[in-house]
Each structure stands twice: as structure tokens, then as C-alpha cells.
Amino acid sequence: VLRIVRFLRALRTLVNHLTSTIKSLVWAFILLFIIIYLFAVSFTQATTTHVRDWSLRMPADSQSTEPLLKYWSTVPRSMFTLFKAITGGISWDDAAY
């Protein structure tokens, strides 16, 4: 019986440490999400402004803005592009040019 009590005490300590670690991990993911969101909003705004100005100057030339719209046309798409660039799913060169 004493061994079981000692084992449960160690198990309780392990579970407490795991839950505190998971709390820190969740806060890190929330911070990462906020940073990605802020950059996605700014990149989307810059892209839509550039495409709008470009279409006013060169209305027939939509091929040069097509790569921009592929990666940065909406905020969720921009967030996904940034996530892929961070995790290695896409080369930053492909998304930037």
C-alpha cells in the first residue's frame, strides 16, 4: 500500500508539471497567432493597395499581380502563407516574389 501511495504522489507531481507546461504552450501559440495575424493584416493591406494602384495604371496587365493575389489576397490566405513560410511548407522566395 505504501508503494502505491508513493507512486500516486509522483504521478500527481508529474501531472501538475505537465498541466503547467501545457498552459505555457497554449500562451505561446496564442502569441504566435496574434503575431501572424498582425503581419497578415499588414501584408494583405499592402497587397490590395498595390494591386488596386497597379490596375488603375495598367488595366490590361493582371498577370503581374497574379502571384501576389495567390498568396496575399485575403487575411486567412495571408495567415496560411505566413504559417507555411514559418514551418517550411513554402519557400519565402515563392511567396515574396
Side-chain angles (χ1 to χ4, degrees):
V1 177
L2 188 61
R3 287 184 185 179
I4 293 174
V5 172
R6 195 177 316 151
F7 175 72
L8 290 178
R9 186 177 300 147
L11 183 62
R12 189 176 336 131
T13 303
L14 181 65
V15 168
N16 285 337
H17 289 308
L18 279 174
T19 56
S20 65
T21 302
I22 289 173
K23 287 178 189 177
S24 299
L25 183 65
V26 167
W27 281 112
F29 279 134
I30 290 172
L31 182 63
L32 181 65
F33 178 80
I34 290 170
I35 291 170
I36 288 175
Y37 177 77
L38 292 174
F39 275 96
V41 167
S42 65
F43 287 162
T44 304
Q45 180 65 38
T47 300
T48 54
T49 302
H50 175 73
V51 169
R52 186 188 66 224
D53 292 345
W54 185 263
S55 65
L56 290 176
R57 283 185 269 151
M58 307 259 186
D61 187 22
S62 67
Q63 192 173 12
S64 62
T65 59
E66 189 174 315
L68 285 175
L69 294 177
K70 179 180 176 183
Y71 295 113
W72 309 106
S73 60
T74 63
V75 173
R77 186 173 291 188
S78 296
M79 288 178 71
F80 187 56
T81 301
L82 287 170
F83 177 74
K84 288 191 300 186
I86 289 170
T87 58
I90 189 173
S91 173
W92 183 248
D93 292 335
D94 295 339
Y97 297 110

